[in-house]
Amino acid sequence: MAVDLQQIGKRFRFYTHLKELELDDLEKMTGSSRETLSNIISGQNYLLDELVAILKNFQDLNPQWLIYGEGSMFKPMDEDGTCHDHHKGCLKKDKAAYLKQMKDMLLELDAAEVAKGHHADVEALKAKLDQLKASE
């Protein structure tokens, strides 16, 4: 299966928006340069070695989903129901505008996946967003 840098960038941007991580946060967490992070998010001009080094800093992010669009965005939770990400928690329940932004990004990601012929676990993400919206 071919690796599509732009698709990886869109998925990484979706993940970082969902986790409410800005470029400054990513620089501090990963130790990577702003330029490298910007290139990954924009889907151009980076090496997979750089991506793999950055991925080690995101304990809850499923690399299979990020790189190939397969499976769930998040790795399974621990047996006690806690998430692997100790920086920010699994999902931050926030305002309706935040959820709408996430839903819009998900629709963009879904359209890109469909255009590429991928069948990612987008329905599960939509259901999760709907569930968060309903819990507000």
Side-chain angles (χ1 to χ4, degrees):
M1 179 175 286
V3 173
D4 184 330
L5 298 183
Q6 287 194 321
Q7 290 300 98
I8 292 170
K10 285 181 182 181
R11 286 189 283 268
F12 190 62
R13 189 178 75 210
F14 182 80
Y15 171 82
T16 58
H17 274 52
L18 189 65
K19 301 292 278 190
E20 298 181 338
L21 297 170
E22 300 292 331
L23 213 46
D24 291 340
D25 301 321
L26 296 173
E27 277 184 284
K28 288 175 193 162
M29 286 175 69
T30 66
S32 296
S33 73
R34 191 174 200 86
E35 180 183 9
T36 298
L37 291 163
S38 292
N39 286 347
I40 291 172
I41 289 169
S42 65
Q44 57 195 6
N45 222 10
Y46 67 92
L47 301 173
L48 283 179
D49 288 347
E50 294 171 323
L51 179 66
V52 169
I54 288 169
L55 283 179
K56 293 175 185 171
N57 297 285
F58 301 100
Q59 300 299 313
D60 66 339
L61 180 58
N62 178 357
Q64 191 75 16
W65 174 81
L66 182 70
I67 295 170
Y68 300 109
E70 296 173 354
S72 176
M73 178 192 314
F74 295 107
K75 290 179 182 174
M77 291 188 179
D78 293 332
E79 285 149 21
D80 64 359
T82 59
C83 189
H84 294 290
D85 183 3
H86 304 293
H87 296 290
K88 280 237 174 196
C90 275
L91 285 177
K92 192 171 183 177
K93 293 182 184 175
D94 218 342
K95 298 178 179 54
Y98 170 73
L99 292 173
K100 183 189 179 325
Q101 178 189 19
M102 298 296 16
K103 193 152 195 148
D104 291 345
M105 287 183 72
L106 185 57
L107 291 172
E108 176 188 334
L109 185 61
D110 188 27
E113 292 292 339
V114 169
K116 286 290 188 182
H118 297 163
H119 301 289
D121 195 9
V122 175
E123 290 304 315
L125 293 172
K126 285 180 184 173
K128 185 74 133 174
L129 284 171
D130 290 339
Q131 184 180 27
L132 288 171
K133 192 175 276 187
S135 70
E136 282 207 345

